[in-house]
C-alpha cells in the first residue's frame, strides 16, 4: 500500500477533516481581501493584474506568517509586500526603447504648415463675417458650435427648414468667396 505524498490531497478526500496551518491567516484574508484588492488595483490599473499582484503578496505574507510578531500591523505588512512586488515586476518589465545617436523626426506632411493653417482660418473667419447676420449665426451654431439643425432652430427660434435653407445659401456664398478660392485649388 502506498502512502499519499500530498497530505492536503488526502484531507480533501475527507470533507471536514482539512485543517489549515494558519486559520488566523484565512480569516484575515477573507476579511481584508476587498480592501487589499483596491490597493492592488490602484498600483496596477488593471483588475486582473491586481488580482495576481494581491495573490503574490498574500503568498509572501503566508510564508512569513510565523515571523510577523504584531498581527495588528498586518495591513501595513501586506501593503508593503504589494508595493515591493509591484516594484520588482516594474523593474523586470521588457523595455522596447533603445538609445540612438539621432532623434527620428517625422517628415512634415505636405500642406501641414501652421502658418498656412492660420492663414486659412483667418480667411475663413473674414468670409464668415461677410455673410448676413442670420446666415452667419446659423453657420457658427451648426459648424463651430456643432449643434444639430434642430438645436440651431431652437436656439434661433426658427423652423428646421429655415436653418437648412439658410445654411445651404451661406455655404454657397462661402464656396464663391474670392478669398477662399485658393483652398479649392
Amino acid at each position: 500500500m502506498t502512502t499519499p505524498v500530498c497530505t492536503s490531497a488526502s484531507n480533501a478526500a475527507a470533507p471536514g477533516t482539512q485543517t489549515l496551518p494558519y486559520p488566523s491567516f484565512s480569516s484575515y484574508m477573507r476579511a481584508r481581501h476587498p480592501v487589499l484588492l483596491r490597493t492592488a488595483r490602484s498600483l496596477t490599473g488593471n483588475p486582473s493584474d491586481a488580482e495576481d499582484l494581491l495573490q503574490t503578496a498574500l503568498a509572501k505574507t503566508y510564508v512569513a506568517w510565523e515571523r510577523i510578531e504584531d498581527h495588528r500591523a498586518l495591513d501595513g505588512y501586506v501593503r508593503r509586500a504589494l508595493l515591493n512586488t509591484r516594484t520588482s515586476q516594474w523593474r523586470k518589465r521588457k523595455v522596447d526603447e533603445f538609445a540612438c545617436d539621432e532623434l527620428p523626426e517625422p517628415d512634415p506632411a505636405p500642406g501641414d504648415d501652421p502658418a498656412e493653417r492660420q492663414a486659412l482660418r483667418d480667411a475663413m473667419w473674414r468670409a464668415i463675417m461677410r455673410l448676413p447676420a442670420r446666415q452667419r449665426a446659423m453657420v457658427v451654431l451648426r459648424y463651430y458650435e456643432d449643434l444639430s439643425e434642430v438645436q440651431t432652430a431652437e436656439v434661433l427660434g426658427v423652423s428646421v427648414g429655415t436653418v437648412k435653407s439658410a445654411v445651404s445659401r451661406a455655404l454657397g456664398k462661402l464656396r464663391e468667396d474670392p478669398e477662399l478660392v485658393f483652398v479649392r485649388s
Side-chain angles (χ1 to χ4, degrees):
M1 172 139 201
T2 61
T3 58
V5 177
C6 179
T7 58
S8 63
S10 63
N11 287 343
T17 62
Q18 184 176 4
T19 58
L20 294 173
Y22 305 120
S24 58
F25 176 80
S26 298
S27 61
Y28 168 77
M29 187 184 71
R30 277 192 293 275
R32 300 302 293 163
H33 186 270
V35 173
L36 296 172
L37 185 59
R38 278 195 301 272
T39 302
R41 281 187 184 152
S42 68
L43 290 172
T44 62
N46 181 342
S48 59
D49 289 344
E51 290 173 3
D52 292 342
L53 178 64
L54 180 58
Q55 184 176 7
T56 304
L58 287 174
K60 290 178 180 181
T61 305
Y62 181 79
V63 169
W65 192 255
E66 290 179 335
R67 294 189 317 254
I68 300 173
E69 295 174 10
D70 186 9
H71 281 243
R72 292 174 295 173
L74 283 172
D75 281 354
Y77 185 91
V78 175
R79 284 191 179 102
R80 176 49 64 181
L82 284 167
L83 187 60
N84 290 345
T85 303
R86 182 63 182 152
T87 302
S88 296
Q89 291 172 349
W90 178 78
R91 287 180 179 155
K92 291 177 186 176
R93 80 186 196 291
K94 182 180 175 186
V95 177
D96 291 333
E97 296 178 12
F98 302 101
C100 59
D101 293 336
E102 295 180 27
L103 291 175
E105 293 293 330
D107 294 331
D112 195 30
D113 184 18
E116 287 181 21
R117 280 186 292 173
Q118 186 61 44
L120 175 62
R121 191 174 296 122
D122 292 342
M124 181 62 74
W125 274 112
R126 283 191 300 275
I128 289 173
M129 294 307 291
R130 285 191 290 273
L131 291 173
R134 187 171 172 170
Q135 287 179 357
R136 181 173 55 242
M138 290 183 190
V139 167
V140 168
L141 289 173
R142 271 296 281 133
Y143 297 105
Y144 284 93
E145 296 296 322
D146 200 28
L147 296 181
S148 68
E149 292 169 340
V150 174
Q151 292 169 326
T152 302
E154 288 175 2
V155 168
L156 296 175
V158 296
S159 70
V160 176
T162 303
V163 171
K164 288 181 181 182
S165 62
V167 168
S168 176
R169 282 191 301 275
L171 292 177
K173 288 180 182 179
L174 291 174
R175 282 187 201 101
E176 300 301 322
D177 191 285
E179 201 174 348
L180 298 177
V181 171
F182 71 92
V183 176
R184 292 187 299 272
S185 53

